[in-house]
Amino acid sequence: MKLYDELSSWWPLLSPPEDYEEEAAFFARVFTEHSRRPVQSVLELGSGGGNNASFLKAHFAMTLVDVSPGMLEVSRALNPECEHIQGDMRRVRLGSRFDVVFVHDAICYMTSEDDLRRAVETVYLHCEPGGLAVIVPDYVRETFELETEHGGIDRGGRGMRYLSWVSDPDPSDTMYVVDFAYLLRETDGTVHVEHDRHVEGLFSRAQWLEILHQVGFRAEIIPYELASIDPHGHDVFVCTKPKR
């Protein structure tokens, strides 16, 4: 996907860090209110450009893992005090455990039940006994909608505007598609256009809960309580790892 590879330097213009303050405050509350142990260390898998971490790091020691070198470079510039590690959430093994393991919308790139199970196993292995996992897919099957979105900002002499288009070519499988169109204005004023297709995973609540329970978590679903988002349109999976 171009956005996380050759276009990764444009990420802060598509999704500015300052837009994440309310969202990060919500997750900080979820971590502290639902954890059965004091929360000091947080592992974020699929941390991307580090936007949530830029706020969460004020409260927790953050370790950030992402598969994309370009996105890690963006995050290091924003969060130089955080540890950054390149790795795929299906396979990475750090040899350490954390009070909270957090996976935001990067979980959407798990497009099969096998991929999803492997990612959840990684979460479980890195979670302290009695610790918490918080996983936030963009959609579950029950909340999925065909929709479009647009945005983008100007910064540092460059500008970006994007249109995203969510579609589901085959409702019988576990995937949907997000097509992005980017208008990119360089510092010299030239503008070029890029198309970028993201294939993402879509699973029912029952599939999610079955995998979480099979791996060993005790899981519940809570609403995504942000002022700008319908709380009934997004599921947050809050999962406790038993102490024994």
Side-chain angles (χ1 to χ4, degrees):
M1 292 161 285
K2 295 178 182 179
L3 182 60
Y4 308 137
D5 191 7
E6 66 262 35
L7 299 181
S8 59
S9 68
W10 295 90
W11 171 257
L13 281 72
L14 183 146
S15 191
E18 58 267 26
D19 290 353
Y20 286 70
E21 184 173 9
E22 182 194 9
E23 182 175 7
F26 165 72
F27 290 127
R29 290 195 305 273
V30 172
F31 296 170
T32 56
E33 291 175 4
H34 289 265
S35 178
R36 298 182 180 180
R37 56 185 292 130
V39 180
Q40 297 178 325
S41 61
V42 176
L43 170 65
E44 184 175 359
L45 297 171
S47 54
N51 288 344
N52 270 302
S54 69
F55 294 98
L56 293 172
K57 67 187 180 185
H59 309 285
F60 315 108
M62 302 293 298
T63 298
L64 307 180
V65 173
D66 198 88
V67 72
S68 163
M71 295 300 279
L72 288 171
E73 183 178 351
V74 171
S75 182
R76 285 190 184 99
L78 182 62
N79 304 301
E81 61 274 80
C82 297
E83 182 179 12
H84 290 78
I85 300 168
Q86 185 182 356
D88 186 318
M89 70 174 72
R90 293 166 296 184
R91 292 183 287 272
V92 68
R93 298 292 183 266
L94 303 182
S96 53
R97 295 190 295 202
F98 301 80
D99 300 317
V100 172
V101 181
F102 176 45
V103 193
H104 199 272
D105 51 5
I107 197 69
C108 294
Y109 295 103
M110 305 300 105
T111 57
S112 69
E113 285 196 45
D114 181 60
D115 278 345
L116 184 59
R117 182 175 289 101
R118 290 163 68 193
V120 171
E121 287 171 350
T122 299
V123 173
Y124 188 86
L125 287 172
H126 289 87
C127 192
E128 288 278 14
L132 192 72
V134 177
I135 305 176
V136 193
D138 281 342
Y139 306 101
V140 295
R141 174 62 70 182
E142 291 85 349
T143 64
F144 180 77
E145 293 183 354
L146 305 177
E147 57 185 349
T148 59
E149 182 183 349
H150 62 88
I153 64 169
D154 302 332
R155 179 167 291 165
R158 298 196 303 174
M160 178 189 208
R161 298 297 182 271
Y162 74 88
L163 171 70
S164 68
W165 177 18
V166 177
S167 59
D168 189 1
D170 183 359
S172 68
D173 66 14
T174 60
M175 293 177 283
Y176 66 98
V177 172
V178 186
D179 284 294
F180 285 89
Y182 310 126
L183 276 169
L184 307 173
R185 188 183 64 214
E186 303 285 358
T187 54
D188 64 2
T190 59
V191 176
H192 62 282
V193 180
E194 298 280 355
H195 169 244
D196 195 15
R197 170 162 284 198
H198 295 222
V199 179
E200 305 187 10
L202 187 62
F203 307 95
S204 69
R205 289 187 180 115
Q207 288 172 297
W208 268 100
L209 292 172
E210 180 180 10
I211 288 172
L212 290 165
H213 292 155
Q214 285 176 348
V215 169
F217 281 118
R218 297 170 183 164
E220 62 176 315
I221 300 170
I222 66 170
Y224 201 173
E225 295 176 340
L226 299 186
S228 59
I229 291 178
D230 176 4
H232 303 293
H234 294 76
D235 288 1
V236 178
F237 292 91
V238 175
C239 317
T240 301
K241 181 175 180 176
K243 290 186 178 180
R244 292 292 180 191

